[in-house]
Amino acid sequence: MGHNNPGRARREIMRENERLSKMTEEERKKERDAEELSYAKAQAVNEAYRSFSAEERATYTKVKDALVAAESRAFNAWHWDKEHGSTGKQNPWRKDE
């Protein structure tokens, strides 16, 4: 949830409970398995990161930051196009075109 709005939190909990109540046992098991797999993957990534040397960590951080910046730029460009697509304005997120 991650927000400070009790009403919204209650509504999200109610929606989640309703969604879970409509699931079959097999669907619940699949969801639990997916959550466990996601947790195991995150643990493996953390363990691998801790095993890196200082130089490898710096490289990893640079690459990760560059990917985050590229994803953010693409996201912003997509939303700008969606909102202003046919207005003839230059998309500020597509300066390289």
Side-chain angles (χ1 to χ4, degrees), residues 24-80:
T24 65
E25 187 58 39
E26 184 179 308
E27 290 171 328
R28 282 192 211 108
K29 184 178 181 338
K30 283 182 184 178
E31 187 158 310
R32 275 194 306 271
D33 290 347
E35 289 173 359
E36 288 173 7
L37 183 62
S38 176
Y39 179 76
K41 182 181 172 186
Q43 290 296 104
V45 167
N46 288 337
E47 287 176 23
Y49 181 77
R50 284 193 297 268
S51 71
F52 287 169
S53 68
E55 184 181 335
E56 288 171 324
R57 283 184 187 179
T59 302
Y60 175 86
T61 301
K62 283 181 189 177
V63 169
K64 187 174 181 183
D65 290 348
L67 284 172
V68 167
E71 287 176 351
S72 175
R73 185 176 179 86
F75 177 84
N76 290 334
W78 183 85
H79 280 282
W80 196 95

Side-chain angles (χ1 to χ4, degrees), residues 8 10-20:
R8 183 173 171 192
R10 269 193 302 279
R11 287 190 302 276
E12 286 184 8
I13 290 169
M14 287 173 46
R15 273 191 223 108
E16 180 67 6
N17 286 342
E18 184 177 341
R19 185 181 72 81
L20 290 172

